[in-house]
Amino acid sequence: MAQVQRMSRLMFKTLRDDPADAETLNHKLLVRAGYVRRTAAGIWSWLPLGKKVLENVARVVREEMDDMGGQEVLLPALLPKEPYEATGRWEEYGPELFRLKDRKGAEYLLGPTHEEIFTQLVKDQCSSYKDLPVILYQIQAKYRDEARPRAGILRGREFLMKDSYSFDTTDEGLAQSYALHREAYIRIFERLGLDHRIVSAVSGAMGGSASEEFLAPAPAGEDTFVDCPACDYAANTEAVTYVAPAVDAVEHPAVEELDTPDTPTIETLAEHLGVPASATLKNLLVKVDGEIVAVGVPGDREVDLGKLGEHLAPAEVELVTAEDFVDRPDLVRGYVGPQGLGKVRYIADPRIAAGTAWITGANKVNTHAKNVVAGRDFEVDDYLDVVVVEAGDPCPKCGTGLRLDRAIEIGHIFQLGRKYADAFQLDVLGQNGKPVRVTMGSYGIGVSRAVAALAEQTADEQGLCWPKEIAPADVHVVAAGKALQTELALDVAEKLGAAGVRVLVDDRAGVSPGVKFTDAELIGVPQILVAGRRSAEGVLELKDRKTGEREELTVDEAIARLTA
């Protein structure tokens, strides 16, 4: 027996117009269809229909996690400061971490992820290699103090997430746990009906080594990823690496200074000299934990500050300001060159390879220099891939030009290694009776983000269009209006419910057929069954919400079709 939900008793209200602040499809439609309502910036309330969809996503995740051997627990969201201080993440998370104090002045946080707490739990519960491997998971609200919450539930301050953690005694065991999660994630996203890509990624504040993201391509996505049309390479743009080709040995002329008045930017310099921007060397000044550092990239490329930050983590990276030049006469704003920088650390993109010649600043006002050769006239302290990736950049695997696309991150898996085990001295007794340091994996799925991603990928001009696995009902029965039609709709709905079909039935009195039909399209249940003009003959119309195909069926035929 499945639930029959009568819309005359359902707390919901559809809207004809998009919310004024809505920019993305999921934000517009989930609000208009009565699934969610905004409580505050980045904080959302889930209404009955939305809660059903959210729980259906969680159910699929839970089933697959259980099938792969995961054990579900529930840890608190309000967490003490000390474990996060022990790993350094109390500071590393920066302003995105919700911090608070109790009445006694003790400091706490609202959990963004739970690596520290799960590590402590396993340390308390597991003492022998016989207790491992173990995979623990929870489905719980997480918190992040977003500076600019946007895109509805896609980027909120509170969100529902499945986070799981594996604990093994060997690196080989970790690799197996990682593979188990990877395969489970593929099954989860296939069941949810999400078009997704698996891409190489960076670990960020999570730490660890190997990591991959599961991305759902969508115009509203906040992630940019690349894929290769010629091979299987795919990666988040922050994880793309550039392999510099060999530079032919060429004898370059000596450095020559050029009078270049009023050319503090690459654009003005290239125009003044009549050269392409790619012939120039751009030198961006940043502060790394307060120390000024120069970053060199070709003039036609931009520095990816996210990439740079990942390379230099946990150090804090920020752009210099005008005030930073006041006490540094050696740094001439708009005319910085790597030659003669003295003690300033110089980081360069691999494209600034030894033997390449550039036009760059001469460290004098209104002056640039040409024939400045890497390895001859200046040395690079560190080569780091820090440019913003562009379409057509060479694939690191085969050299073919890469494609760029936008996507929503719906999952991320990490081989953490022993970062957290080291912080908490998580050891178990090995087979030889000696302590063994445990190695960990961390694996997340954005449950509420998956709802947003599905809305983005499956909606059409009429509204939402849910896959059956996560829809709030299997069939939406619509009574066109008259008493006979309502009576037939309710009778069919009860019979379907008795047969195990989840039913949403529109039995609202005083609502026009046009509004009911519009709402049915907007709400997005996979099958729409209408008790309309031929109700007296016991004939209904069945419409497939996705394809728009319609078919007239008798009551018995409709029930047989929908229960097959």
Side-chain angles (χ1 to χ4, degrees):
M1 182 75 179
Q3 183 188 30
V4 175
Q5 175 65 63
R6 296 176 64 163
M7 291 179 67
S8 60
R9 301 172 186 171
L10 178 66
M11 191 188 80
F12 95 115
K13 181 171 70 173
T14 56
L15 304 176
R16 298 280 76 85
D17 298 317
D18 296 333
D21 62 337
E23 300 174 354
T24 58
L25 196 58
N26 86 86
H27 186 177
K28 296 172 184 177
L29 293 179
L30 290 172
V31 172
R32 283 185 53 206
Y35 283 76
V36 299
R37 284 293 183 271
R38 182 181 182 273
T39 301
I43 304 173
W44 293 86
S45 297
W46 292 81
L47 304 186
L49 289 178
K51 184 64 162 55
K52 288 179 185 293
V53 170
L54 187 67
E55 287 300 319
N56 285 337
V57 173
R59 171 183 52 78
V60 170
V61 172
R62 183 175 282 114
E63 289 172 358
E64 293 296 340
M65 288 302 300
D66 289 346
D67 284 350
M68 64 165 275
Q71 301 177 60
E72 185 172 10
V73 297
L74 182 60
L75 275 59
L78 179 63
L79 304 170
K81 168 187 178 181
E82 289 74 18
Y84 288 79
E85 216 171 23
T87 61
R89 294 209 299 170
W90 176 262
E91 295 299 333
E92 284 176 25
Y93 261 109
E96 289 191 349
L97 192 66
F98 273 107
R99 298 171 172 86
L100 62 155
K101 294 182 180 181
D102 67 11
R103 65 184 68 193
K104 297 179 180 179
E107 293 187 275
Y108 294 84
L109 66 141
L110 295 179
T113 58
H114 277 65
E115 281 76 9
E116 288 84 351
I117 312 305
F118 271 88
T119 305
Q120 290 184 323
L121 177 64
V122 171
K123 183 178 176 67
D124 177 67
Q125 296 290 312
C126 301
S127 58
S128 167
Y129 74 94
K130 296 178 182 178
D131 299 324
L132 303 179
V134 66
I135 294 172
L136 303 175
Y137 78 95
Q138 63 176 348
I139 297 175
Q140 187 212 49
K142 296 287 191 282
Y143 298 89
R144 184 179 296 126
D145 191 1
E146 292 283 356
R148 192 173 69 88
R150 62 180 184 84
I153 62 170
L154 189 56
R155 198 165 188 85
R157 290 176 169 173
E158 179 186 74
F159 49 94
L160 191 65
M161 179 177 166
K162 185 284 301 177
D163 53 323
S164 57
Y165 306 88
S166 63
F167 298 84
D168 290 271
T169 56
T170 66
D171 292 339
E172 293 76 17
L174 170 59
Q176 289 179 341
S177 295
Y178 185 90
L180 279 173
H181 277 85
R182 195 178 194 273
E183 292 304 313
Y185 276 34
I186 292 171
R187 292 193 299 271
I188 287 168
F189 296 131
E190 285 178 350
R191 285 182 61 183
L192 293 179
L194 273 167
D195 176 24
H196 67 279
R197 306 286 187 275
I198 305 173
V199 304
S200 300
V202 293
S203 298
M206 300 291 287
S209 54
S211 76
E212 291 175 295
E213 286 179 342
F214 290 74
L215 302 179
E222 74 279 23
D223 277 25
T224 303
F225 75 99
V226 301
D227 68 343
C228 178
C231 72
D232 61 355
Y233 180 80
N236 185 299
T237 53
E238 291 185 358
V240 176
T241 56
Y242 175 78
V243 180
V247 178
D248 294 333
V250 176
E251 187 68 30
H252 293 284
V255 174
E256 178 184 345
E257 290 192 352
L258 306 171
D259 184 29
T260 52
D262 300 320
T263 58
T265 67
I266 293 295
E267 292 75 16
T268 54
L269 175 65
E271 182 179 358
H272 179 83
L273 296 177
V275 298
S278 59
T280 68
L281 176 58
K282 179 186 296 182
N283 300 289
L284 180 72
L285 297 181
V286 298
K287 289 189 291 186
V288 179
D289 282 344
E291 178 190 354
I292 292 181
V293 173
V295 183
V297 299
D300 61 338
R301 305 302 290 257
E302 298 296 329
V303 175
D304 187 328
L305 291 175
K307 248 184 177 181
L308 181 63
E310 292 290 350
H311 282 303
L312 301 178
E316 182 179 350
V317 178
E318 57 184 328
L319 293 172
V320 297
T321 63
E323 289 73 23
D324 294 310
F325 288 90
V326 173
D327 297 322
R328 295 296 300 267
D330 56 321
L331 301 177
V332 183
R333 193 175 187 183
Y335 297 90
V336 171
Q339 71 285 9
L341 273 183
K343 296 181 180 180
V344 175
R345 178 184 176 191
Y346 194 71
I347 295 172
D349 186 80
R351 294 164 178 83
I352 316 301
T356 55
W358 304 90
I359 299 170
T360 189
N363 301 305
K364 299 177 184 178
V365 176
N366 295 328
T367 308
H368 282 83
K370 69 177 183 178
N371 305 324
V372 179
V373 180
R376 185 191 74 179
D377 303 309
F378 66 92
E379 296 297 330
V380 175
D381 295 305
D382 299 286
Y383 276 107
L384 300 176
D385 194 331
V386 293
V387 302
V388 174
V389 176
E390 296 178 355
D393 280 352
C395 170
K397 197 169 181 180
C398 73
T400 303
L402 294 170
R403 299 178 299 200
L404 287 176
D405 204 354
R406 303 289 295 174
I408 298 166
E409 182 185 340
I410 49 177
H412 205 152
I413 55 179
F414 304 84
Q415 291 189 34
L416 291 178
R418 295 173 175 82
K419 172 182 176 179
Y420 297 90
D422 286 342
F424 297 102
Q425 297 183 328
L426 175 55
D427 297 327
V428 296
L429 285 179
Q431 287 180 286
N432 60 2
K434 295 181 179 180
V436 175
R437 183 60 44 97
V438 172
T439 185
M440 292 173 56
S442 175
Y443 318 88
I445 286 180
V447 176
S448 50
R449 287 173 70 85
V451 175
L454 277 164
E456 291 285 340
Q457 285 191 345
T458 63
D460 59 21
E461 293 180 357
Q462 284 70 47
L464 298 163
C465 190
W466 301 113
K468 182 178 180 180
E469 186 86 52
I470 66 117
D474 298 316
V475 60
H476 187 154
V477 179
V478 178
K482 296 180 181 178
L484 176 64
Q485 295 164 338
T486 301
E487 182 180 341
L488 178 60
L490 289 172
D491 179 60
V492 171
E494 290 299 329
K495 290 177 179 177
L496 287 169
V501 178
R502 298 172 301 139
V503 182
L504 179 66
V505 56
D506 194 344
D507 61 333
R508 292 175 292 172
V511 178
S512 71
V515 169
K516 289 185 177 182
F517 296 149
T518 299
D519 283 350
E521 300 279 358
L522 181 61
I523 290 168
V525 172
Q527 300 289 335
I528 301 171
L529 188 64
V530 180
R533 56 187 177 82
R534 297 190 63 186
S535 292
E537 305 169 50
V539 176
L540 307 163
E541 182 184 77
L542 180 64
K543 178 181 178 180
D544 185 290
R545 172 66 186 83
K546 183 176 182 180
T547 66
E549 294 178 0
R550 301 171 185 264
E551 187 177 2
E552 288 192 336
L553 301 168
T554 65
V555 170
D556 289 341
E557 289 172 339
I559 292 173
R561 177 73 59 81
L562 293 168
T563 56

